[in-house]
Amino acid sequence: MLRAHTVEQVRRAEEAAMAAVPEGTLMQRAAAGLATAVIDLLGGAYGSRVLLLVGAGDNGGDALWAGARLAARGARVEALLLSEQVRADGLTALHAAGGWATRDLDELSTTPDVLVDGIVGIGGRPGLRPDAVAALARFEGVPVVAVDVPSGVGVDTGEVDGPHVRADLTVTFGTHKVAHLVDPASAASGALHLVDIGLDLPEAAVEALQTDDVRALLPRPGWDAQKYTRGVVGVRAGSATYPGAALLAVAGANAGLVGMVRYVGPAAVADRVRAAHPEVVGAGRVQAWVVGPGGGDDAAAMLADARADGVPVVVDADALRHVDGPLPGCVLTPHAGELAAMLDVAREEVEAQPLEHARVAARRWDCVVLLKGHHTLVADPGGRVRVTTTGVPWLATAGAGDVLAGLVGALLAAGLEPLDAASVGSWLHGAAATEAADGGPLTASRVAVHIPRVVRETLSPPESGLLG
């Protein structure tokens, strides 16, 4: 599990660690990891030109000490001091190693090969001061390595408000931070490199499933399995106007993770569903429902009928408009526009603060909320949040959400808890899209086709050389 902690959690862990080791040990560990990452990025230190952007606080200190190590390895290191109060010990070390520092942007001697962003620490507020903005603008196009987090982003929220660093690589210490995973700030981090500095950390604020986690959670049929014990998922979706939504939702549900799929909907749509999926049957008992994709005017009745069965429901698309109270045990799967309508706020607010709005929605409706996006968020009413980091931009295509809803419903019917079903389903959906795209465009139908292959590869042991 990839875990991301808040600033307060990190600070408490650092205080505990510092009490057990000599003074300065954590900063030296961080600086060593940062210097190594910069050398790897440059392909070597000797002769390279490095510019440190140094603010007050420990991130500036990390940059200075890393700069001293780089200078000792033969790099030409300059530091632009963006605060009157920088770490004196780090500045002394940089000078002793042959580095140079100035407070005047115009005194810098050459265009660097890399910028090291030590402008703002993890306790900084979103946005940057004009002098930092000017320095970044002067060297636009030069690769940027951020120290811990890109300066200027909301570390605990993933929000951005004003100018901020856009890093090619972020070297973070002890643990990932929320801003590394949560949009829109996650897009500013670039590649992530975690340096272990010896912190003992509590339960994370935000998590992201990895292959091993998905492997452990995926349902597997036992030796005595039969179609009913493996789970039965029902799909109420589609209309004369949108029959394709039913086909796609059924395709997601029918990826092989349950023993049976039932479809209930307009007769003409049902005929098309069974022509495409002859193993799908009609009405009957289910362990979970998927409701809403393409439901149009019938979505309210679809939701009411599904809720009457007293089983978990995945509420998607048109059915989201008819959520009128708590839905414990269920999963809502809105995109930003749909969640904005449900919360009566502007879409731009949800896109600017997805973590906050996903948590608010999960509490309001007492259920798991899967907020679709670049990094999809899955929040439960208790405050737990998982982020999906699989997927490709090509996944932003019509019908992809219908496939996802069906897949999450199948995992619910197979026995996974709502948080697990939603986060595992989102992970598989993104991984299937990555495989289906193969570097190019894709359609929702192709995503559904690739789900069984991704499941097989995920279940394969790591030594097989497949996905794990």
Side-chain angles (χ1 to χ4, degrees):
M1 190 83 72
L2 191 156
R3 294 175 171 85
H5 290 80
T6 65
V7 172
E8 181 63 25
Q9 288 176 317
V10 171
R11 284 178 169 165
R12 289 182 179 180
E14 287 177 342
E15 289 173 1
M18 286 188 289
V21 297
E23 184 177 355
T25 298
L26 296 190
M27 183 165 286
Q28 291 305 316
R29 290 173 181 172
L34 175 59
T36 298
V38 172
I39 291 170
D40 288 344
L41 179 68
L42 293 171
Y46 189 82
S48 297
R49 298 163 299 178
V50 179
L51 175 59
L52 314 175
L53 303 180
V54 181
D58 288 345
N59 282 16
D62 295 334
L64 288 167
W65 279 105
R69 290 173 177 267
L70 293 166
R73 295 281 296 271
R76 177 171 181 166
V77 181
E78 297 181 327
L80 179 63
L81 307 182
L82 297 170
S83 171
E84 294 297 324
Q85 298 177 328
V86 300
R87 287 285 301 238
D89 55 355
L91 187 58
T92 299
L94 177 66
H95 286 147
W100 182 75
T102 180
R103 300 183 188 279
D104 187 346
L105 181 60
D106 293 326
E107 288 186 358
L108 297 172
S109 61
T110 185
T111 299
D113 298 311
V114 66
L115 297 177
V116 176
D117 160 33
I119 303 169
V120 180
I122 60 173
R125 291 177 294 182
L128 293 174
R129 294 188 334 201
D131 56 350
V133 174
L136 292 165
R138 170 76 64 90
F139 300 109
E140 185 175 359
V142 175
V144 178
V145 176
V147 180
D148 221 1
V149 291
S151 292
V153 304
V155 180
D156 282 349
T157 64
E159 298 167 18
V160 296
D161 184 11
H164 59 276
V165 168
R166 289 188 172 274
D168 297 275
L169 170 67
T170 295
V171 181
T172 193
F173 311 118
T175 180
H176 292 89
K177 314 306 185 288
V178 175
H180 297 149
L181 299 182
V182 172
D183 292 337
S186 68
S189 293
L192 293 171
H193 176 68
L194 177 64
V195 176
D196 183 3
I197 59 172
L199 302 185
D200 184 12
L201 291 151
E203 182 177 340
V206 174
E207 301 172 331
L209 296 180
Q210 304 297 289
T211 304
D212 288 347
D213 306 309
V214 176
R215 182 182 297 117
L217 288 167
L218 275 170
R220 300 167 174 80
W223 66 269
D224 58 346
Q226 41 99 344
K227 60 188 177 184
Y228 295 109
T229 61
R230 289 190 60 207
V232 180
V233 62
V235 178
R236 294 180 180 270
S239 60
T241 306
Y242 302 110
L247 289 164
L248 291 168
V250 169
N254 197 34
L257 292 166
V258 289
M260 182 183 292
V261 179
R262 299 184 182 276
Y263 175 74
V264 178
V269 178
D271 289 342
R272 294 182 62 174
V273 167
R274 294 188 185 102
H277 304 280
E279 62 273 31
V280 173
V281 298
R285 293 184 60 185
V286 300
Q287 279 73 56
W289 280 105
V290 178
V291 175
D297 294 338
D298 296 330
M302 290 177 174
L303 180 57
D305 290 342
R307 292 181 65 182
D309 280 352
V311 299
V313 181
V314 177
V315 185
D316 186 49
D318 293 326
L320 292 166
R321 300 197 306 270
H322 305 288
V323 172
D324 56 5
L327 288 171
C330 296
V331 179
L332 310 183
T333 58
H335 56 58
E338 291 165 335
L339 186 59
M342 296 175 74
L343 294 172
D344 194 25
V345 299
R347 178 177 186 140
E348 291 76 15
E349 292 183 43
V350 175
E351 291 174 336
Q353 300 176 301
L355 180 61
E356 172 65 18
H357 287 91
R359 282 175 164 159
V360 166
R363 291 193 300 268
R364 176 176 297 188
W365 288 292
D366 192 27
C367 65
V368 166
V369 173
L370 185 158
L371 175 56
K372 292 176 279 194
H374 164 244
H375 278 184
T376 290
L377 300 179
V378 180
D380 77 4
R384 295 182 67 188
V385 176
R386 288 181 180 162
V387 182
T388 302
T389 56
T390 58
V392 290
W394 296 110
L395 186 52
T397 186
D402 303 332
V403 174
L404 174 60
L407 177 57
V408 173
L411 291 164
L412 274 176
L416 268 62
E417 294 298 317
L419 178 67
D420 291 337
S423 53
V424 169
S426 181
W427 189 97
L428 291 172
H429 186 249
T434 301
E435 191 165 285
D438 193 25
L442 78 163
T443 61
S445 299
R446 287 180 59 202
V447 175
V449 167
H450 280 263
I451 292 171
R453 176 182 171 88
V454 168
V455 171
R456 175 176 63 81
E457 293 174 344
T458 303
L459 289 175
S460 300
E463 60 269 21
S464 71
L466 294 172
L467 196 68

